[in-house]
Amino acid sequence: MPLSSRPVILDGDPGHDDAINILLACSNPELEVLGVTTTYGNVGLNRTTQNALIVRELIGATFPIYPGADRPLIAERLSAEAVHGESGLDGPDLPVPRRPAETLHAAQFIIESVRSRPGEITLLPTGPLTNLALAFRLAPDILPLIREIVWMGGSTDTGNWTPAAEFNALCDPHAAQIVFESGVPITMFGLNVTHQAIANPARVAAFRQLGTRVGEFTAVLLEFFAEHHRLRYGWDGGALHDPMTAAYLLAPELFAVRPMRVDIDITTGPSAGRTHCDVWNVTGQAPNADVAMQVDADGFFALLVERLAGYR
Ligand code: BDR
Ligand code: CA
């Protein structure tokens, strides 16, 4: 591992795109994956944890996996079987993983890790922000010790679960509010940018052409994931949301980000979970996040294929 390797904790709800984010993050020496923490989200916690275990075994990795929240702080629990299937990872054959998850709670793992490496760790959440919010409430001393948060969630414009809200934000708006008010540097990858990166058939074919187990696994995941996007949006592939978080650390030049104030709507009703992004600074408030606005989609997919090619 090179001296410059950047320690990260992946927190997510695998999930097709979460799974591909794990593959990307583990595929290279620039990132040191300290662990994967899991949350309810796309499906229930037991299943998202199982899916993380499956991905770990697929690549023969050794990082520990810590289950966390099985529900939001206050809101009713949502799930997205309509997008990800009953398993949360429908498409490929899913083996029963041999090695179990750890027993320490995800929030506790985050706390202990950050305390042990002050100023070093980047958190990459790709699901509801409940685990981070729990950690921040349990141990506010860690806030100044976190290097950065790079989150997939929210949107500068429309939602995907309601007209106003993106799924990860809507799952636990109160947790998102805690995180966005934490003072930790945040970069947000919302639907406004992830919908620019569609895994169309030509891009899926590039993964398959790797001729490896990981390449085939990724291609099959993306083919299943495409179905929902075809029906909902009429697109010829799925929007590859979550891997933008790891890609940003590996190749920030692929993205245009802009600092702005982001407030989470914690009201109930049609605006619940909306990420109010003050793109034009009409409120005059100081920014609390960098928000991704554009991606070089071809470069993003090229990076993914190039890095996943490292798995034999
Ligand atoms: C987000 O919701 C989940 O279905 C995906 O994994 C992604 O994190 C997109 O809204
Ligand atoms: Ca996710």
Side-chain angles (χ1 to χ4, degrees):
M1 194 150 306
L3 275 178
S4 60
S5 182
R6 178 171 179 157
V8 297
I9 295 174
L10 311 181
D11 178 78
D13 57 341
H16 294 66
D17 48 341
D18 304 80
I20 296 170
N21 194 45
I22 296 172
L23 295 176
L24 178 61
C26 293
S27 67
N28 62 84
E30 294 108 298
L31 302 182
E32 178 193 1
V33 178
L34 302 178
V36 169
T37 53
T38 55
T39 171
Y40 74 91
N42 289 320
V43 288
L45 177 68
N46 287 344
R47 201 55 239 205
T48 59
T49 303
Q50 166 112 336
N51 293 342
L53 296 169
I54 289 169
V55 173
R56 180 175 69 183
E57 290 202 0
L58 173 74
I59 56 177
T62 56
F63 57 77
I65 295 172
Y66 300 89
D70 66 357
R71 70 196 70 180
L73 298 181
I74 295 170
E76 291 286 316
R77 185 167 86 79
L78 304 172
S79 59
E81 285 85 0
V83 182
H84 298 271
E86 286 302 312
S87 72
L89 210 53
D90 274 15
D93 290 336
L94 300 175
V96 177
R98 279 162 298 174
R99 195 177 142 209
E102 311 299 317
T103 51
L104 188 71
H105 192 283
Q108 203 58 43
F109 172 69
I110 292 170
I111 292 167
E112 291 177 11
S113 303
V114 171
R115 281 182 182 153
S116 71
R117 297 182 71 167
E120 288 185 43
I121 295 177
T122 298
L123 305 177
L124 297 186
T126 56
L129 288 168
T130 318
N131 285 337
L132 270 64
L134 289 171
F136 292 4
R137 282 295 197 247
L138 278 167
D141 61 285
I142 67 171
L143 296 178
L145 309 181
I146 297 168
R147 177 166 169 185
E148 188 180 357
I149 295 168
V150 182
W151 179 50
M152 189 282 131
S155 175
T156 61
D157 43 52
T158 53
N160 61 357
W161 218 253
T162 68
E166 181 278 332
F167 180 76
N168 291 339
L170 182 64
C171 276
D172 198 340
H174 301 90
Q177 187 199 36
I178 289 169
V179 170
F180 274 79
E181 289 184 349
S182 67
V184 178
I186 301 175
T187 306
M188 173 181 128
F189 287 82
L191 300 176
N192 57 293
V193 67
T194 64
H195 282 184
Q196 296 171 28
I198 305 303
N200 61 30
R203 288 169 171 162
V204 172
F207 291 105
R208 179 160 286 125
Q209 280 159 12
L210 291 174
T212 61
R213 270 188 339 141
V214 168
E216 182 62 21
F217 184 79
T218 305
V220 177
L221 283 180
L222 289 173
E223 282 164 349
F224 183 91
F225 200 45
E227 199 46 34
H228 165 79
H229 293 78
R230 202 168 283 133
L231 293 172
R232 171 59 53 80
Y233 307 101
W235 297 343
D236 63 350
L240 202 44
H241 311 283
D242 295 341
M244 286 197 183
T245 59
Y248 179 61
L249 299 188
L250 296 169
E253 67 280 2
L254 294 175
F255 302 92
V257 303
R258 179 169 173 149
M260 68 186 74
R261 175 77 196 179
V262 179
D263 284 305
I264 317 299
D265 200 317
I266 56 166
T267 62
T268 53
S271 294
R274 182 183 189 118
T275 46
H276 291 273
C277 297
D278 191 0
V279 176
W280 302 111
N281 195 25
V282 292
T283 65
Q285 286 184 286
N288 61 347
D290 282 334
V291 175
M293 302 300 284
Q294 282 186 314
V295 58
D296 167 357
D298 286 335
F300 170 61
F301 279 96
L303 173 81
L304 272 159
V305 172
E306 177 205 314
R307 298 307 176 105
L308 267 48
Y311 292 113
R312 290 290 140 207

